[in-house]
């Protein structure tokens, strides 16, 4: 069995092929291109590349799944809106289905990632927060929490600072403008700061930037931790990958302030982890969704997983 998983993020696009044991046997990554034509070109480029690596054709895949940044109607296969990919009411599935012999399943990329995380951790209680070009979260709590219209976890455009930087969504001071890589990286460059070693910068400018970022990220983490109280709170995305110092600094910040703001039993700092396989996980999750793992995992006797499939 060959399962194709395609992850189309705002900055990078990544594809994997899983074998019958859900092991990655081929992968390929490229930079994303925006707009309908760009997204389609990247998606098909990756699909053809990994199929060639395995030695099969596109119509030989037994399952196909796509995870993509944005608001997704997984039933119709339409991207309702993706600010960072310049997509609006785009029927992606209908555009690519003719290339495959099996149905193409699609979902939001962060929700796909938390499905993969549930498998990796063998857990039903996981919250994943992605600090990439944009910011979003997803939660498994026995099953995938979707909310109305699959919008659960779309936190990136919640206003964090009403007087903050204008956001491309049209609002001002969104979470994404402070902690998302699409705004954070240019801001660091403009200030002459290096995000990868910002914790070592002792200048007043560097310390101010560090304080702003840590406080904002901590507020986001505290929000999702208290909202869902998951056993595992995973952080991932390019902003996190680029800063190995971030997790210990964030844990220290939360621990120092927990007794001031939160009850002692809220041990959010101890639950924080970096997501293992951060680069592969979104595409792996997309492949699992292609197989029908639309709601996460259910543990049965002996700890074995059974598919909680379907579109309910």
């Amino acid at each position: 069995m060959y399962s194709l998983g395609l992850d189309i993020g705002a900055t990078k696009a990544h594809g994997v092929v899983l074998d019958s044991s859900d092991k990655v046997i081929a992968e390929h990554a490229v930079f994303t291109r925006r707009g309908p034509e760009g997204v389609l070109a990247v998606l098909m480029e990756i699909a053809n590349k990994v199929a060639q690596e395995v030695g099969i054709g596109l119509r030989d895949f037994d399952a196909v799944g796509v995870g993509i940044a944005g608001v997704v109607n997984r039933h119709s296969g339409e991207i309702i809106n993706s600010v960072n990919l310049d997509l609006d009411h785009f029927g992606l599935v209908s555009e690519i289905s003719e290339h495959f012999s099996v149905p193409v399943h699609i979902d939001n990329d962060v929700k796909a990632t938390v499905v993969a995380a549930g498998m990796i951790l063998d857990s039903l209680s996981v919250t994943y927060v992605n600090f990439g070009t944009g910011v979003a979260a997803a939660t498994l709590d026995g099953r995938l929490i979707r909310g109305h219209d699959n919008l659960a976890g779309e936190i990136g455009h919640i206003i964090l600072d009403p007087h903050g930087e204008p956001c491309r969504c049209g609002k001002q001071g969104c979470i994404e403008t402070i902690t998302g890589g699409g705004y954070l990286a240019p801001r660091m460059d403009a200030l002459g700061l290096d995000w990868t070693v910002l914790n070592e910068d002792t200048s007043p400018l560097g310390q101010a930037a560090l304080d702003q970022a840590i406080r904002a990220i901590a507020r986001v983490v505290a929000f999702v931790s208290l909202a869902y109280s998951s056993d595992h709170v995973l952080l991932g995305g390019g902003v996190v990958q680029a800063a190995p110092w971030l997790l210990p600094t964030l844990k220290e910040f939360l621990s120092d302030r927990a007794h001031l703001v939160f009850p002692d039993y809220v041990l959010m700092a101890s639950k924080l982890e970096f997501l293992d396989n951060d680069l592969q996980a979104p595409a792996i999750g997309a492949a699992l969704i292609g197989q029908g793992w639309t709601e996460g995992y259910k543990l049965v006797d002996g700890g074995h997983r059974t598919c909680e499939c379907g579109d309910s």
Side-chain angles (χ1 to χ4, degrees), residues 86-157:
D86 294 334
L87 300 177
D88 184 63
H89 289 89
F90 175 55
L92 187 145
V93 169
S94 64
E95 292 284 345
I96 65 172
S97 290
E98 65 183 76
H99 298 286
F100 303 98
S101 60
V102 293
V104 176
H105 297 276
I106 190 169
D107 213 324
N108 169 268
D109 60 338
V110 178
K111 289 184 174 66
T113 303
V114 85
V115 169
M119 183 186 73
I120 292 166
L121 295 170
D122 203 17
S123 175
L124 292 168
S125 181
V126 184
T127 290
Y128 170 63
V129 190
N130 180 75
F131 293 96
T133 303
V135 180
T139 295
L140 280 175
D141 185 26
R143 64 186 298 160
L144 189 58
I145 295 177
R146 293 189 176 279
H148 183 67
D149 289 344
N150 209 24
L151 281 172
E154 291 295 329
I155 62 174
H157 296 286

Side-chain angles (χ1 to χ4, degrees), residues 9-20:
T11 300
K12 72 167 183 66
H14 189 197
V16 300
V17 178
L18 305 185
D19 64 11
S20 57

Side-chain angles (χ1 to χ4, degrees), residues 4-310:
L4 173 64
L6 298 161
D7 165 50
I8 311 298
T11 300
K12 72 167 183 66
H14 189 197
V16 300
V17 178
L18 305 185
D19 64 11
S20 57
S21 300
D22 291 333
K23 302 297 184 184
V24 176
I25 58 173
E27 65 178 313
H28 184 64
V30 299
F31 286 112
T32 300
R33 298 197 289 276
R34 297 182 177 183
E37 292 184 1
V39 168
L40 287 175
V42 164
L43 189 150
M44 295 311 302
E45 175 187 339
I46 295 173
N48 280 295
K49 180 70 175 180
V50 294
Q52 182 181 30
E53 188 173 334
V54 176
I56 62 175
L58 293 182
R59 301 188 69 81
D60 296 321
F61 284 113
D62 301 287
V64 179
V66 179
I68 190 163
V71 180
V72 177
N73 184 325
R74 63 196 180 95
H75 301 292
S76 68
E78 183 181 30
I79 315 302
I80 304 302
N81 179 260
S82 178
V83 173
N84 291 322
L85 288 173
D86 294 334
L87 300 177
D88 184 63
H89 289 89
F90 175 55
L92 187 145
V93 169
S94 64
E95 292 284 345
I96 65 172
S97 290
E98 65 183 76
H99 298 286
F100 303 98
S101 60
V102 293
V104 176
H105 297 276
I106 190 169
D107 213 324
N108 169 268
D109 60 338
V110 178
K111 289 184 174 66
T113 303
V114 85
V115 169
M119 183 186 73
I120 292 166
L121 295 170
D122 203 17
S123 175
L124 292 168
S125 181
V126 184
T127 290
Y128 170 63
V129 190
N130 180 75
F131 293 96
T133 303
V135 180
T139 295
L140 280 175
D141 185 26
R143 64 186 298 160
L144 189 58
I145 295 177
R146 293 189 176 279
H148 183 67
D149 289 344
N150 209 24
L151 281 172
E154 291 295 329
I155 62 174
H157 296 286
I158 294 173
I159 295 174
L160 199 60
D161 178 6
H163 306 291
E165 186 175 348
C167 181
R168 63 172 59 92
C169 77
K171 293 184 290 187
Q172 190 168 334
C174 294
I175 287 173
E176 184 174 304
T177 66
I178 303 172
T179 63
Y183 294 85
L184 183 62
R187 187 160 62 246
M188 292 293 105
D189 289 343
L191 294 172
L193 301 173
D194 185 348
W195 173 251
T196 64
V197 291
L198 188 61
N199 62 315
E200 300 175 7
D201 193 323
T202 59
S203 70
L205 189 62
Q207 288 296 297
L210 177 66
D211 184 68
Q212 181 194 39
I214 290 298
R215 286 179 181 274
I217 292 172
R219 288 179 70 181
V220 175
V221 170
F223 170 74
V224 297
S225 295
L226 290 170
Y228 298 112
S229 192
S230 300
D231 292 343
H232 304 272
V233 179
L234 306 179
L235 308 182
V239 169
V240 170
Q241 294 164 13
W245 54 267
L246 180 59
L247 186 60
T249 304
L250 190 59
K251 284 189 172 188
E252 182 180 2
F253 181 92
L254 290 169
S255 297
D256 287 348
R257 287 155 180 78
H259 69 285
L260 299 175
V261 182
F262 303 107
D264 290 340
Y265 59 81
V266 181
L267 303 175
M268 65 180 66
S270 66
K271 297 179 179 182
L272 289 181
E273 307 168 54
F274 278 154
L275 174 64
D276 289 335
N277 302 317
D278 187 42
L279 295 175
Q280 289 185 338
I284 291 173
L288 295 174
I289 284 173
Q291 294 175 18
W293 298 82
T294 60
E295 301 302 334
Y297 297 91
K298 179 170 65 176
L299 304 184
V300 294
D301 292 342
H304 300 294
R305 304 183 193 91
T306 57
C307 183
E308 194 167 278
C309 303

